[in-house]
Amino acid sequence: MEMIIYLFQAISRTLSEIIAYFLIKINKVLKYDKKFDYFIATLFILTSGSVFWVSALRPAGAFILLLLVAALNVIRKKRRLNNSWHFILFVVLMCLINAIILQRRYEDNSMLGYITCITAAYLIISQYDFYYFVKLLTNVLVVILAFGIPIYLLCSFGILPSYHTQMNGTTFLMSNYIFTIGWWWPFGRFSGIWHEPGACQIILNTILWLNFKKIQNWDLSKHDKIKFTIIIIGILLTQSTGGYLVFLTFLLAIGFTTKIRNRHRLVIYLILGICMISTAIILFNDDVIQNKLFDASGKEMLSKRGRMNDAISFITVANQYPIIGAGIGTDLFMELSKRYGNTANSSGLLVYTASLGYPWLLLFVCTCFVRIRRLDIGPASLFLFLSVLMMEMNEMYIEYPITSLFIFKFHSYIDKRKKVCEIT
């Protein structure tokens, strides 16, 4: 008996020492605020649809990991959560009502994944100052692009090798383990770490838009100019029609809302106007946009037709179930959407409208518009709102954290001229 008691005490002491050791280590890690913040921002971007991360871990694993890290960050920051959690509550209620009324079988875990991801995004966003977190995201993205763009170009010229790999049931053509070059064949367009160029442009355009006020005021350091140049090069290399249209909207917003206080401002406005119009004409006449919009044959026509069929399918389902929707990931949604022509769930905004009904669409649109108004960018808010809708119509990115930047409130929206949040 004494031996058993002694062993029990020894084991207890050992476990206590192990727990204490890990607590000390965790405490040390959490003390590095900037490093942990960068870790959060990196995870935020990776969970927003990157192939090697989300596909390798599966969406469930990636979303749960983000939620756990977000909860740990809340404990670390010790900041009060704001009331934008109401959006999550409404979504949960809509899903419950949908499940109770329809009583349908679920084909996948999309509903739980959506709730998990927006909850994780809310916990992260609510703990940060807007300008600080945007700078974190910008720096992380620029590092990804600084490696990704040269690798894409070298692969395009056959200098670097690429290889096929299976990720979550899909074959991808990859390079250097994390960069997507194509599927079975090369895209011939830049897609970064995301599954296709159209998805890549959403991340790039979103982060460019979040820096709108700084660019509009030309409040740019030398490093800022380099960063935004790299992001713009990335957008152009995607050769995405949707990406070009959103970028064009960004340029138009800059042109229409920039205020110049200078005695030569009329001349500057004239030059700026000519540059904006010229850029718009060049982009609109680009082969990518012309082929996608007007070509009557080939892959571009198939892409356009496929997206049109998807949109018609979702609208038809939404009209049949306007109040509660057909359910997120239910057999009813799968059956109806395929029956009416859906092939690829290419429009996230319409997918969730068909899944949760028009009340969800109204909630999303209104919440998005209100949050954009909080960014204090004046009339450009309408341009940004239009851009968000275009991006969400272009890809199934409604459920990823990057979209939640326009849904949840930040801890604060403080201009760095009023409160310095300097990071390199």
Side-chain angles (χ1 to χ4, degrees):
M1 180 62 71
E2 290 180 358
M3 180 62 71
I4 294 175
I5 294 174
Y6 174 78
L7 287 174
F8 179 77
Q9 291 175 342
I11 293 172
S12 298
R13 282 196 302 269
T14 303
L15 288 174
S16 298
E17 290 173 359
I18 293 173
I19 292 171
Y21 172 80
F22 280 109
L23 288 176
I24 291 171
K25 287 293 184 182
I26 291 172
N27 188 51
K28 285 183 178 180
V29 171
L30 295 183
K31 283 183 178 178
Y32 292 102
D33 283 349
K34 194 182 297 184
K35 291 183 179 179
F36 198 80
D37 288 342
Y38 267 114
F39 172 68
I40 292 282
T42 302
L43 204 60
F44 197 91
I45 288 181
L46 294 183
T47 309
S48 295
S50 63
V51 169
F52 83 97
W53 186 257
V54 175
S55 294
L57 292 179
R58 304 285 183 140
F63 293 165
I64 291 173
L65 177 60
L66 185 69
L67 180 61
L68 292 175
V69 173
L72 180 60
N73 190 52
V74 170
I75 297 172
R76 179 178 74 107
K77 291 288 188 180
K78 298 178 181 178
R79 289 175 171 174
R80 181 179 297 178
L81 298 173
N82 59 53
N83 62 2
S84 58
W85 57 266
H86 291 158
F87 180 85
I88 302 173
L89 177 61
F90 284 129
V91 167
V92 171
L93 288 176
M94 288 175 186
C95 290
L96 287 175
I97 292 171
N98 181 286
I100 292 171
I101 294 178
L102 289 180
Q103 295 288 314
R104 302 296 297 217
R105 181 170 57 86
Y106 287 86
E107 296 286 336
D108 55 38
N109 296 319
S110 299
M111 181 179 71
L112 293 176
Y114 179 48
I115 294 172
T116 301
C117 192
I118 61 176
T119 302
Y122 161 71
L123 292 178
I124 292 172
I125 292 168
S126 65
Q127 297 299 298
Y128 285 98
D129 169 72
F130 171 75
Y131 289 94
Y132 177 71
F133 194 64
V134 167
K135 196 163 188 178
L136 289 173
L137 293 176
T138 303
N139 289 347
V140 171
L141 179 65
V142 168
V143 170
I144 293 173
L145 295 178
F147 286 96
I149 291 175
I151 288 174
Y152 157 72
L153 293 174
L154 291 173
C155 287
S156 298
F157 290 110
I159 298 174
L160 277 182
S162 56
Y163 57 91
H164 288 97
T165 184
Q166 283 281 334
M167 293 277 192
N168 201 16
T170 303
T171 300
F172 290 97
L173 185 63
M174 306 288 291
S175 179
N176 289 267
Y177 302 102
I178 67 173
F179 294 104
T180 309
I181 305 301
W183 292 331
W184 275 107
W185 57 89
F187 291 131
R189 299 153 54 196
F190 180 64
S191 56
I193 60 176
W194 293 277
H195 74 276
E196 69 171 18
C200 178
Q201 64 85 13
I202 291 177
I203 310 297
L204 274 58
N205 271 311
T206 295
I207 293 180
L208 185 67
W209 259 112
L210 293 173
N211 286 281
F212 179 85
K213 194 170 183 180
K214 176 180 282 191
I215 297 173
Q216 180 193 42
N217 296 332
W218 204 243
D219 184 19
L220 304 174
S221 66
K222 179 181 177 181
H223 290 104
D224 288 330
K225 293 175 184 177
I226 295 173
K227 293 173 190 175
F228 297 137
T229 299
I230 291 174
I231 292 175
I232 290 171
I233 290 173
I235 292 171
L236 296 178
L237 287 177
T238 63
Q239 299 180 54
S240 165
T241 306
Y244 282 6
L245 292 176
V246 172
F247 181 55
L248 177 59
T249 305
F250 177 85
L251 294 177
L252 292 175
I254 292 287
F256 281 118
T257 63
T258 298
K259 295 180 180 179
I260 301 174
R261 293 179 177 85
N262 187 297
R263 63 193 182 93
H264 301 298
R265 62 181 178 275
L266 291 179
V267 176
I268 296 175
Y269 274 128
L270 180 61
I271 295 173
L272 185 62
I274 293 173
C275 290
M276 292 296 109
I277 293 172
S278 300
T279 304
I281 292 173
I282 291 171
L283 285 177
F284 184 76
N285 286 285
D286 186 270
D287 289 342
V288 175
I289 292 181
Q290 288 294 311
N291 289 339
K292 183 64 71 69
L293 295 179
F294 305 114
D295 189 25
S297 62
K299 290 191 299 182
E300 301 295 350
M301 186 61 187
L302 290 175
S303 174
K304 182 172 68 174
R305 185 179 300 160
R307 289 181 183 276
M308 286 295 296
N309 289 342
D310 289 356
I312 292 171
S313 168
F314 301 139
I315 292 172
T316 304
V317 175
N319 288 338
Q320 288 188 6
Y321 295 87
I323 306 301
I324 61 171
I328 303 177
T330 62
D331 57 349
L332 177 62
F333 171 81
M334 302 292 186
E335 176 189 335
L336 291 178
S337 64
K338 288 181 180 178
R339 180 191 303 173
Y340 296 126
N342 171 38
T343 58
N345 286 356
S346 59
S347 172
L349 193 67
L350 293 180
V351 167
Y352 274 77
T353 302
S355 299
L356 292 177
Y358 288 109
W360 175 88
L361 178 63
L362 180 63
L363 173 67
F364 178 85
V365 169
C366 291
T367 303
C368 183
F369 183 74
V370 170
R371 298 293 174 254
I372 288 174
R373 295 284 292 176
R374 290 291 300 271
L375 302 185
D376 190 29
I377 57 176
S381 297
L382 294 175
F383 289 91
L384 174 53
F385 180 64
L386 176 62
S387 294
V388 172
L389 294 183
M390 284 194 291
M391 289 188 287
E392 298 307 329
M393 287 286 290
N394 191 57
E395 287 285 341
M396 183 65 171
Y397 262 54
I398 203 83
E399 59 192 5
Y400 287 130
I402 198 72
T403 300
S404 293
L405 291 169
F406 302 108
I407 296 299
F408 299 114
K409 286 196 295 188
F410 282 83
H411 176 71
S412 59
Y413 295 82
I414 302 173
D415 194 302
K416 78 171 190 176
R417 288 169 294 184
K418 299 177 183 177
K419 179 180 178 181
V420 179
C421 297
E422 287 298 331
I423 57 174
T424 56

Short mmCIF file of all heavy atoms in Angstrom, two decimals, residues 186-236:
data_model
loop_
_atom_site.label_atom_id
_atom_site.label_comp_id
_atom_site.label_asym_id
_atom_site.label_seq_id
_atom_site.Cartn_x
_atom_site.Cartn_y
_atom_site.Cartn_z
N PRO A 186 -1.30 23.50 -66.25
CA PRO A 186 -0.96 24.82 -65.68
C PRO A 186 -2.03 25.86 -66.04
O PRO A 186 -2.56 25.86 -67.15
CB PRO A 186 0.39 25.16 -66.35
CG PRO A 186 0.93 23.87 -66.83
CD PRO A 186 -0.26 23.03 -67.19
N PHE A 187 -2.32 26.75 -65.09
CA PHE A 187 -3.28 27.82 -65.36
C PHE A 187 -2.73 28.80 -66.38
O PHE A 187 -3.46 29.36 -67.19
CB PHE A 187 -3.59 28.60 -64.08
CG PHE A 187 -4.37 27.82 -63.05
CD1 PHE A 187 -3.96 27.80 -61.73
CD2 PHE A 187 -5.52 27.14 -63.39
CE1 PHE A 187 -4.66 27.11 -60.77
CE2 PHE A 187 -6.25 26.44 -62.44
CZ PHE A 187 -5.81 26.43 -61.13
N GLY A 188 -1.41 29.06 -66.29
CA GLY A 188 -0.83 30.14 -67.09
C GLY A 188 -1.17 31.48 -66.49
O GLY A 188 -0.97 32.54 -67.11
N ARG A 189 -1.67 31.47 -65.25
CA ARG A 189 -2.06 32.68 -64.52
C ARG A 189 -1.67 32.48 -63.06
O ARG A 189 -1.61 31.35 -62.57
CB ARG A 189 -3.57 32.92 -64.64
CG ARG A 189 -4.06 33.13 -66.05
CD ARG A 189 -5.51 32.71 -66.23
NE ARG A 189 -6.38 33.35 -65.27
CZ ARG A 189 -7.63 32.94 -65.02
NH1 ARG A 189 -8.11 31.86 -65.63
NH2 ARG A 189 -8.37 33.57 -64.13
N PHE A 190 -1.44 33.56 -62.36
CA PHE A 190 -0.96 33.49 -60.98
C PHE A 190 -2.11 33.16 -60.02
O PHE A 190 -3.15 33.81 -60.04
CB PHE A 190 -0.33 34.82 -60.58
CG PHE A 190 0.19 34.84 -59.17
CD1 PHE A 190 1.23 34.02 -58.77
CD2 PHE A 190 -0.37 35.70 -58.23
CE1 PHE A 190 1.71 34.04 -57.47
CE2 PHE A 190 0.10 35.74 -56.93
CZ PHE A 190 1.14 34.90 -56.54
N SER A 191 -1.92 32.13 -59.19
CA SER A 191 -2.94 31.77 -58.21
C SER A 191 -2.39 31.70 -56.79
O SER A 191 -3.14 31.42 -55.85
CB SER A 191 -3.59 30.43 -58.57
OG SER A 191 -2.60 29.43 -58.70
N GLY A 192 -1.07 31.93 -56.62
CA GLY A 192 -0.49 31.96 -55.29
C GLY A 192 -0.67 30.65 -54.54
O GLY A 192 -0.44 29.58 -55.09
N ILE A 193 -1.14 30.73 -53.29
CA ILE A 193 -1.36 29.53 -52.49
C ILE A 193 -2.83 29.10 -52.54
O ILE A 193 -3.23 28.20 -51.81
CB ILE A 193 -0.93 29.76 -51.03
CG1 ILE A 193 -1.72 30.91 -50.39
CG2 ILE A 193 0.57 30.04 -50.94
CD1 ILE A 193 -1.42 31.13 -48.92
N TRP A 194 -3.62 29.76 -53.41
CA TRP A 194 -5.04 29.47 -53.48
C TRP A 194 -5.37 28.56 -54.65
O TRP A 194 -4.52 28.31 -55.51
CB TRP A 194 -5.81 30.79 -53.53
CG TRP A 194 -5.65 31.53 -52.23
CD1 TRP A 194 -6.36 31.36 -51.09
CD2 TRP A 194 -4.65 32.52 -51.94
NE1 TRP A 194 -5.88 32.18 -50.09
CE2 TRP A 194 -4.82 32.89 -50.57
CE3 TRP A 194 -3.62 33.11 -52.66
CZ2 TRP A 194 -4.03 33.85 -49.94
CZ3 TRP A 194 -2.82 34.06 -52.03
CH2 TRP A 194 -3.02 34.42 -50.70
N HIS A 195 -6.60 28.06 -54.72
CA HIS A 195 -6.91 26.98 -55.64
C HIS A 195 -7.04 27.42 -57.09
O HIS A 195 -6.99 26.58 -57.99
CB HIS A 195 -8.18 26.24 -55.20
CG HIS A 195 -9.45 27.00 -55.44
ND1 HIS A 195 -9.93 27.95 -54.57
CD2 HIS A 195 -10.34 26.94 -56.46
CE1 HIS A 195 -11.06 28.44 -55.03
NE2 HIS A 195 -11.33 27.85 -56.18
N GLU A 196 -7.23 28.72 -57.32
CA GLU A 196 -7.26 29.21 -58.69
C GLU A 196 -7.07 30.72 -58.67
O GLU A 196 -7.22 31.36 -57.62
CB GLU A 196 -8.56 28.83 -59.40
CG GLU A 196 -9.80 29.52 -58.88
CD GLU A 196 -11.00 29.25 -59.77
OE1 GLU A 196 -10.96 28.28 -60.55
OE2 GLU A 196 -11.97 30.02 -59.71
N PRO A 197 -6.75 31.33 -59.82
CA PRO A 197 -6.51 32.78 -59.86
C PRO A 197 -7.70 33.61 -59.36
O PRO A 197 -7.52 34.65 -58.72
CB PRO A 197 -6.24 33.04 -61.35
CG PRO A 197 -5.67 31.76 -61.85
CD PRO A 197 -6.42 30.68 -61.11
N GLY A 198 -8.93 33.16 -59.66
CA GLY A 198 -10.11 33.90 -59.21
C GLY A 198 -10.23 33.97 -57.71
O GLY A 198 -10.76 34.94 -57.16
N ALA A 199 -9.75 32.95 -57.01
CA ALA A 199 -9.74 32.96 -55.55
C ALA A 199 -8.61 33.83 -55.02
O ALA A 199 -8.77 34.57 -54.05
CB ALA A 199 -9.60 31.53 -55.02
N CYS A 200 -7.46 33.75 -55.68
CA CYS A 200 -6.29 34.55 -55.27
C CYS A 200 -6.61 36.04 -55.31
O CYS A 200 -6.27 36.78 -54.39
CB CYS A 200 -5.12 34.23 -56.19
SG CYS A 200 -3.63 35.17 -55.86
N GLN A 201 -7.29 36.49 -56.36
CA GLN A 201 -7.56 37.92 -56.49
C GLN A 201 -8.46 38.44 -55.38
O GLN A 201 -8.40 39.63 -55.05
CB GLN A 201 -8.16 38.22 -57.87
CG GLN A 201 -9.52 37.62 -58.16
CD GLN A 201 -10.69 38.45 -57.67
OE1 GLN A 201 -10.52 39.62 -57.31
NE2 GLN A 201 -11.88 37.84 -57.64
N ILE A 202 -9.30 37.58 -54.83
CA ILE A 202 -10.17 38.02 -53.73
C ILE A 202 -9.34 38.45 -52.53
O ILE A 202 -9.58 39.50 -51.92
CB ILE A 202 -11.16 36.90 -53.34
CG1 ILE A 202 -12.17 36.68 -54.45
CG2 ILE A 202 -11.87 37.25 -52.03
CD1 ILE A 202 -13.14 35.55 -54.18
N ILE A 203 -8.33 37.66 -52.17
CA ILE A 203 -7.48 38.00 -51.04
C ILE A 203 -6.70 39.27 -51.34
O ILE A 203 -6.63 40.19 -50.50
CB ILE A 203 -6.49 36.84 -50.74
CG1 ILE A 203 -7.23 35.50 -50.66
CG2 ILE A 203 -5.70 37.13 -49.48
CD1 ILE A 203 -8.23 35.40 -49.55
N LEU A 204 -6.13 39.36 -52.53
CA LEU A 204 -5.30 40.51 -52.89
C LEU A 204 -6.12 41.79 -52.96
O LEU A 204 -5.73 42.83 -52.40
CB LEU A 204 -4.60 40.26 -54.24
CG LEU A 204 -3.27 39.51 -54.20
CD1 LEU A 204 -3.40 38.14 -53.55
CD2 LEU A 204 -2.68 39.37 -55.60
N ASN A 205 -7.26 41.73 -53.64
CA ASN A 205 -8.10 42.93 -53.76
C ASN A 205 -8.68 43.35 -52.41
O ASN A 205 -8.79 44.55 -52.12
CB ASN A 205 -9.24 42.68 -54.75
CG ASN A 205 -8.86 43.03 -56.18
OD1 ASN A 205 -8.34 44.11 -56.44
ND2 ASN A 205 -9.11 42.12 -57.10
N THR A 206 -9.04 42.38 -51.59
CA THR A 206 -9.60 42.71 -50.27
C THR A 206 -8.59 43.48 -49.43
O THR A 206 -8.91 44.53 -48.85
CB THR A 206 -10.02 41.43 -49.52
OG1 THR A 206 -11.09 40.80 -50.23
CG2 THR A 206 -10.48 41.75 -48.11
N ILE A 207 -7.36 42.99 -49.37
CA ILE A 207 -6.35 43.65 -48.54
C ILE A 207 -5.93 44.99 -49.16
O ILE A 207 -5.65 45.94 -48.43
CB ILE A 207 -5.15 42.71 -48.33
CG1 ILE A 207 -5.62 41.52 -47.46
CG2 ILE A 207 -3.97 43.42 -47.69
CD1 ILE A 207 -4.57 40.49 -47.16
N LEU A 208 -5.94 45.08 -50.48
CA LEU A 208 -5.68 46.38 -51.10
C LEU A 208 -6.76 47.38 -50.73
O LEU A 208 -6.47 48.53 -50.38
CB LEU A 208 -5.61 46.22 -52.63
CG LEU A 208 -5.22 47.47 -53.41
CD1 LEU A 208 -3.77 47.86 -53.12
CD2 LEU A 208 -5.41 47.25 -54.92
N TRP A 209 -8.02 46.95 -50.77
CA TRP A 209 -9.14 47.82 -50.41
C TRP A 209 -9.06 48.26 -48.94
O TRP A 209 -9.40 49.39 -48.60
CB TRP A 209 -10.46 47.11 -50.66
CG TRP A 209 -11.15 47.50 -51.93
CD1 TRP A 209 -11.35 46.74 -53.04
CD2 TRP A 209 -11.75 48.77 -52.22
NE1 TRP A 209 -12.04 47.43 -54.00
CE2 TRP A 209 -12.31 48.68 -53.53
CE3 TRP A 209 -11.89 49.96 -51.51
CZ2 TRP A 209 -12.97 49.75 -54.13
CZ3 TRP A 209 -12.55 51.03 -52.12
CH2 TRP A 209 -13.08 50.92 -53.41
N LEU A 210 -8.64 47.36 -48.06
CA LEU A 210 -8.56 47.71 -46.64
C LEU A 210 -7.52 48.80 -46.38
O LEU A 210 -7.58 49.48 -45.36
CB LEU A 210 -8.22 46.46 -45.82
CG LEU A 210 -9.30 45.38 -45.77
CD1 LEU A 210 -8.78 44.13 -45.07
CD2 LEU A 210 -10.56 45.90 -45.09
N ASN A 211 -6.60 48.98 -47.32
CA ASN A 211 -5.61 50.04 -47.22
C ASN A 211 -6.02 51.28 -48.00
O ASN A 211 -5.19 52.17 -48.24
CB ASN A 211 -4.26 49.54 -47.74
CG ASN A 211 -3.57 48.59 -46.78
OD1 ASN A 211 -2.96 49.02 -45.81
ND2 ASN A 211 -3.67 47.30 -47.07
N PHE A 212 -7.29 51.36 -48.38
CA PHE A 212 -7.75 52.43 -49.26
C PHE A 212 -7.43 53.82 -48.72
O PHE A 212 -6.92 54.68 -49.44
CB PHE A 212 -9.26 52.30 -49.49
CG PHE A 212 -9.82 53.40 -50.37
CD1 PHE A 212 -9.78 53.27 -51.75
CD2 PHE A 212 -10.36 54.55 -49.82
CE1 PHE A 212 -10.29 54.28 -52.56
CE2 PHE A 212 -10.86 55.56 -50.63
CZ PHE A 212 -10.82 55.42 -52.01
N LYS A 213 -7.72 54.06 -47.46
CA LYS A 213 -7.56 55.40 -46.91
C LYS A 213 -6.11 55.86 -46.95
O LYS A 213 -5.81 57.02 -47.26
CB LYS A 213 -8.09 55.44 -45.46
CG LYS A 213 -8.28 56.85 -44.92
CD LYS A 213 -9.03 56.82 -43.61
CE LYS A 213 -9.28 58.24 -43.11
NZ LYS A 213 -10.03 58.22 -41.83
N LYS A 214 -5.21 54.94 -46.65
CA LYS A 214 -3.78 55.27 -46.69
C LYS A 214 -3.35 55.62 -48.11
O LYS A 214 -2.61 56.58 -48.33
CB LYS A 214 -2.96 54.10 -46.15
CG LYS A 214 -1.46 54.32 -46.25
CD LYS A 214 -0.69 53.12 -45.70
CE LYS A 214 -0.68 53.15 -44.19
NZ LYS A 214 0.28 52.16 -43.63
N ILE A 215 -3.82 54.84 -49.08
CA ILE A 215 -3.45 55.09 -50.48
C ILE A 215 -4.09 56.37 -50.98
O ILE A 215 -3.47 57.17 -51.67
CB ILE A 215 -3.86 53.89 -51.36
CG1 ILE A 215 -3.09 52.63 -50.92
CG2 ILE A 215 -3.61 54.18 -52.83
CD1 ILE A 215 -3.54 51.36 -51.60
N GLN A 216 -5.36 56.57 -50.61
CA GLN A 216 -6.07 57.78 -51.04
C GLN A 216 -5.38 59.04 -50.54
O GLN A 216 -5.24 60.03 -51.28
CB GLN A 216 -7.52 57.73 -50.52
CG GLN A 216 -8.35 58.94 -50.92
CD GLN A 216 -9.63 59.00 -50.13
OE1 GLN A 216 -9.64 58.76 -48.93
NE2 GLN A 216 -10.73 59.31 -50.80
N ASN A 217 -4.94 59.03 -49.30
CA ASN A 217 -4.26 60.20 -48.71
C ASN A 217 -2.79 60.28 -49.08
O ASN A 217 -2.09 61.21 -48.70
CB ASN A 217 -4.39 60.16 -47.18
CG ASN A 217 -5.82 60.29 -46.72
OD1 ASN A 217 -6.65 60.90 -47.41
ND2 ASN A 217 -6.13 59.72 -45.57
N TRP A 218 -2.33 59.27 -49.83
CA TRP A 218 -0.91 59.15 -50.20
C TRP A 218 -0.03 59.23 -48.96
O TRP A 218 1.05 59.82 -48.94
CB TRP A 218 -0.52 60.23 -51.21
CG TRP A 218 0.67 59.83 -52.04
CD1 TRP A 218 1.88 60.43 -52.07
CD2 TRP A 218 0.76 58.72 -52.95
NE1 TRP A 218 2.73 59.78 -52.93
CE2 TRP A 218 2.05 58.73 -53.50
CE3 TRP A 218 -0.14 57.73 -53.36
CZ2 TRP A 218 2.48 57.77 -54.43
CZ3 TRP A 218 0.29 56.78 -54.28
CH2 TRP A 218 1.59 56.82 -54.79
N ASP A 219 -0.52 58.58 -47.89
CA ASP A 219 0.20 58.52 -46.62
C ASP A 219 1.07 57.28 -46.63
O ASP A 219 0.89 56.36 -45.83
CB ASP A 219 -0.82 58.49 -45.47
CG ASP A 219 -0.17 58.53 -44.10
OD1 ASP A 219 1.01 58.95 -44.03
OD2 ASP A 219 -0.82 58.13 -43.12
N LEU A 220 2.04 57.26 -47.57
CA LEU A 220 2.79 56.04 -47.84
C LEU A 220 4.28 56.24 -47.59
O LEU A 220 4.87 57.21 -48.07
CB LEU A 220 2.59 55.60 -49.30
CG LEU A 220 1.15 55.39 -49.77
CD1 LEU A 220 1.13 55.11 -51.25
CD2 LEU A 220 0.50 54.27 -48.99
N SER A 221 4.84 55.28 -46.88
CA SER A 221 6.28 55.25 -46.74
C SER A 221 6.87 54.53 -47.95
O SER A 221 6.14 53.99 -48.80
CB SER A 221 6.67 54.50 -45.46
OG SER A 221 6.30 53.14 -45.55
N LYS A 222 8.20 54.50 -48.03
CA LYS A 222 8.85 53.80 -49.12
C LYS A 222 8.49 52.32 -49.12
O LYS A 222 8.22 51.72 -50.16
CB LYS A 222 10.37 53.97 -49.00
CG LYS A 222 11.17 53.26 -50.09
CD LYS A 222 12.66 53.45 -49.89
CE LYS A 222 13.46 52.69 -50.94
NZ LYS A 222 14.93 52.87 -50.73
N HIS A 223 8.43 51.73 -47.92
CA HIS A 223 8.07 50.32 -47.80
C HIS A 223 6.61 50.09 -48.23
O HIS A 223 6.30 49.06 -48.85
CB HIS A 223 8.28 49.83 -46.37
CG HIS A 223 9.72 49.75 -45.97
ND1 HIS A 223 10.33 50.66 -45.16
CD2 HIS A 223 10.68 48.85 -46.30
CE1 HIS A 223 11.59 50.33 -44.99
NE2 HIS A 223 11.84 49.24 -45.68
N ASP A 224 5.72 51.03 -47.89
CA ASP A 224 4.31 50.90 -48.29
C ASP A 224 4.18 50.87 -49.81
O ASP A 224 3.42 50.06 -50.36
CB ASP A 224 3.49 52.06 -47.73
CG ASP A 224 3.28 51.96 -46.23
OD1 ASP A 224 3.25 50.83 -45.72
OD2 ASP A 224 3.16 53.01 -45.57
N LYS A 225 4.92 51.75 -50.48
CA LYS A 225 4.85 51.80 -51.95
C LYS A 225 5.29 50.46 -52.56
O LYS A 225 4.69 49.99 -53.52
CB LYS A 225 5.71 52.94 -52.47
CG LYS A 225 5.19 54.32 -52.08
CD LYS A 225 6.15 55.43 -52.51
CE LYS A 225 5.64 56.79 -52.03
NZ LYS A 225 6.59 57.89 -52.38
N ILE A 226 6.33 49.89 -51.99
CA ILE A 226 6.82 48.59 -52.48
C ILE A 226 5.76 47.51 -52.25
O ILE A 226 5.47 46.70 -53.14
CB ILE A 226 8.14 48.21 -51.79
CG1 ILE A 226 9.25 49.19 -52.18
CG2 ILE A 226 8.55 46.77 -52.15
CD1 ILE A 226 10.54 49.00 -51.41
N LYS A 227 5.16 47.51 -51.05
CA LYS A 227 4.15 46.50 -50.71
C LYS A 227 2.96 46.56 -51.66
O LYS A 227 2.52 45.53 -52.20
CB LYS A 227 3.67 46.70 -49.27
CG LYS A 227 4.71 46.42 -48.19
CD LYS A 227 4.16 46.81 -46.84
CE LYS A 227 5.24 46.78 -45.77
NZ LYS A 227 4.74 47.29 -44.46
N PHE A 228 2.42 47.77 -51.87
CA PHE A 228 1.23 47.89 -52.70
C PHE A 228 1.55 47.62 -54.17
O PHE A 228 0.70 47.12 -54.91
CB PHE A 228 0.60 49.27 -52.52
CG PHE A 228 0.12 49.51 -51.11
CD1 PHE A 228 0.35 50.72 -50.47
CD2 PHE A 228 -0.55 48.51 -50.41
CE1 PHE A 228 -0.09 50.93 -49.17
CE2 PHE A 228 -0.98 48.72 -49.11
CZ PHE A 228 -0.74 49.93 -48.48
N THR A 229 2.76 47.93 -54.59
CA THR A 229 3.17 47.61 -55.96
C THR A 229 3.18 46.10 -56.16
O THR A 229 2.71 45.58 -57.18
CB THR A 229 4.57 48.18 -56.25
OG1 THR A 229 4.54 49.61 -56.13
CG2 THR A 229 5.02 47.81 -57.67
N ILE A 230 3.71 45.36 -55.17
CA ILE A 230 3.73 43.90 -55.25
C ILE A 230 2.32 43.33 -55.30
O ILE A 230 2.02 42.42 -56.09
CB ILE A 230 4.51 43.32 -54.04
CG1 ILE A 230 5.99 43.66 -54.14
CG2 ILE A 230 4.31 41.80 -53.96
CD1 ILE A 230 6.80 43.25 -52.93
N ILE A 231 1.41 43.88 -54.47
CA ILE A 231 0.03 43.40 -54.47
C ILE A 231 -0.64 43.66 -55.82
O ILE A 231 -1.34 42.79 -56.37
CB ILE A 231 -0.77 44.06 -53.33
CG1 ILE A 231 -0.25 43.58 -51.96
CG2 ILE A 231 -2.27 43.73 -53.45
CD1 ILE A 231 -0.88 44.27 -50.77
N ILE A 232 -0.43 44.85 -56.39
CA ILE A 232 -1.04 45.18 -57.68
C ILE A 232 -0.48 44.29 -58.79
O ILE A 232 -1.23 43.82 -59.66
CB ILE A 232 -0.81 46.68 -58.00
CG1 ILE A 232 -1.64 47.54 -57.04
CG2 ILE A 232 -1.19 46.99 -59.44
CD1 ILE A 232 -1.34 49.02 -57.12
N ILE A 233 0.82 44.03 -58.76
CA ILE A 233 1.41 43.10 -59.74
C ILE A 233 0.75 41.73 -59.61
O ILE A 233 0.42 41.09 -60.62
CB ILE A 233 2.93 43.00 -59.52
CG1 ILE A 233 3.62 44.31 -59.93
CG2 ILE A 233 3.51 41.83 -60.32
CD1 ILE A 233 5.09 44.36 -59.60
N GLY A 234 0.54 41.29 -58.36
CA GLY A 234 -0.13 40.01 -58.14
C GLY A 234 -1.53 39.99 -58.73
O GLY A 234 -1.93 39.01 -59.37
N ILE A 235 -2.28 41.07 -58.55
CA ILE A 235 -3.64 41.16 -59.10
C ILE A 235 -3.61 41.07 -60.62
O ILE A 235 -4.40 40.34 -61.23
CB ILE A 235 -4.32 42.47 -58.65
CG1 ILE A 235 -4.58 42.44 -57.14
CG2 ILE A 235 -5.64 42.68 -59.40
CD1 ILE A 235 -5.06 43.77 -56.57
N LEU A 236 -2.70 41.80 -61.24
CA LEU A 236 -2.61 41.79 -62.70
C LEU A 236 -2.20 40.42 -63.23
O LEU A 236 -2.70 39.98 -64.28
CB LEU A 236 -1.61 42.86 -63.16
CG LEU A 236 -2.00 44.31 -62.85
CD1 LEU A 236 -0.91 45.27 -63.30
CD2 LEU A 236 -3.34 44.68 -63.49
#
